[in-house]
Amino acid sequence: GESVGLHLPTLSVQEGDNSIINCAYSNSASDYFIWYKQESGKGPQFIIDIRSNMDKRQGQRVTVLLNKTVKHLSLQIAATQPGDSAVYFCAEIWDSGNTPLVFGKGTRLSVIA
Amino acid sequence: GAVVSQHPSRVICKSGTSVKIECRSLDFQATTMFWYRQFPKQSLMLMATSNEGSKATYEQGVEKDKFLINHASLTLSTLTVTSAHPEDSSFYICSARDLRRIREKLFFGSGTQLSVL
């Protein structure tokens, strides 16, 4: 289940189940979106990206969905594994300009073996 | 392998001292680099945009005299935390953009954990 802690919400899933992590972005002008995985004490690791002219993109075990109408992104992880346990951030950017990446609040994924 | 190198990975210092963090793009030139700060259990917050050959652009609430940024070459940006205090303890991460790429062009350093005693 999902719970909202003091800062990062936590999503707990059973190993082998599918995970869905949601994110709301803020800037209607953003045209490039990225999901990152961050393990403790490390920098963000690229998972998958999507441009605003698409609404779905699939990678290996991961799928990103984009709903521009409600400014919503989701990351789906199939057959979640213990190694997927980490904090996941969505990020948005107006790629046409050399602007910085803006990160969402993040979700901690906890995989129960 | 890493395309953005950040050093040191961890530093412990006494209150009042200054700490310099380096961020290097290894196989591409980066006219712009970004510095983020992350407190425990929180997201990455942009501190400043480092511009090669010109002044950095700081986000609202970030003291430019406190966090000195120098982007002296196309492959190196440094962040100096001056007169560090315990409240500056945080995880600092740099990012650089490889404009030659169409996708996956944003790269992050491995981060620097700063602990001020």
Side-chain angles (χ1 to χ4, degrees), chain A residues 56-90:
Chain A
K56 180 179 179 178
R57 191 150 190 267
Q58 287 185 292
Q60 191 175 22
R61 275 204 311 123
V62 294
T63 301
V64 55
L65 299 177
L66 173 64
N67 185 332
K68 295 184 289 294
T69 303
V70 295
K71 294 192 286 187
H72 183 268
L73 271 169
S74 69
L75 176 69
Q76 300 177 4
I77 304 174
T80 313
Q81 302 168 0
D84 295 327
S85 294
V87 177
Y88 290 80
F89 294 98
C90 69

Side-chain angles (χ1 to χ4, degrees), chain A residues 13 15 18 32 37 39-40 43-46 59 65 74 83 94 101 103 105 112:
Chain A
V13 299
E15 180 179 0
N18 297 334
Y32 183 48
K37 173 185 181 183
E39 297 173 327
S40 181
Q45 175 189 350
F46 174 94
L65 299 177
S74 69
W94 177 40
L101 205 57
F103 285 86
K105 292 183 178 180
I112 304 164

Side-chain angles (χ1 to χ4, degrees), chain B residues 70-84:
Chain B
N70 187 351
H71 195 150
S73 78
L74 287 169
T75 59
L76 174 64
S77 175
T78 61
L79 168 68
T80 301
V81 183
T82 63
S83 186

